[in-house]
Amino acid sequence: MRFAYSVFGWRGRLSRGAFWWRVVLIFAAFAVLDAALQPLLGSAHVWLLNPLTLWALLAAAARRLHDRDMGGAWLLVGLIPVAGALWLVWQFCRRGAASDNRWGPDPLRETGDFLVVGG
């Protein structure tokens, strides 16, 4: 269940590197599932696979925008031809907010869950 929320959940933040890895993995999973389901379901597999893939990509994009301290509604900018998509890619490539924000703690911050011995 935790894995499903990690892939399909819209809450929280996603660092730049984690976002790009997630996008690559989503597309890889899509390609594998597309090849596996095509012989079994024929063209009907599109109705199963495409919505799940789109949801996972939009969730990752919203979480990336959260890291930039922006709401997921900013994804609607992508509906503007060319300029909207370019603006979103630019936002996805920029560094996230360096501190905690309303969507959670900085995903790159060290948690301090270890013993530090100073001298």
Side-chain angles (χ1 to χ4, degrees):
M1 198 63 172
R2 187 175 178 108
F3 172 76
Y5 178 77
S6 171
V7 175
F8 297 106
W10 290 65
R11 294 179 188 227
R13 296 171 63 171
L14 201 56
S15 68
R16 210 176 1 186
F19 168 75
W20 289 112
W21 274 112
R22 180 152 309 168
V23 168
V24 167
L25 292 174
I26 289 169
F27 278 120
F30 174 81
V32 169
L33 289 171
D34 184 57
L37 292 175
Q38 170 65 30
L40 297 172
L41 302 174
S43 61
H45 82 287
V46 172
W47 293 100
L48 172 69
L49 194 54
N50 286 0
L52 290 174
T53 303
L54 181 62
W55 186 274
L57 289 171
L58 288 174
R63 292 177 69 188
R64 179 68 198 124
L65 288 175
H66 289 172
D67 191 45
R68 297 266 314 122
D69 204 13
M70 303 170 81
W74 280 99
L75 288 172
L76 295 173
V77 170
L79 296 175
I80 300 171
V82 183
L86 291 174
W87 183 84
L88 282 174
V89 170
W90 179 59
Q91 291 301 318
F92 297 153
C93 291
R94 295 182 67 201
R95 181 180 213 163
S99 61
D100 298 352
N101 65 24
R102 57 188 159 162
W103 288 284
D106 181 2
L108 299 179
R109 184 183 69 196
E110 294 183 18
T111 60
D113 289 343
F114 54 89
L115 178 63
V116 177
V117 180

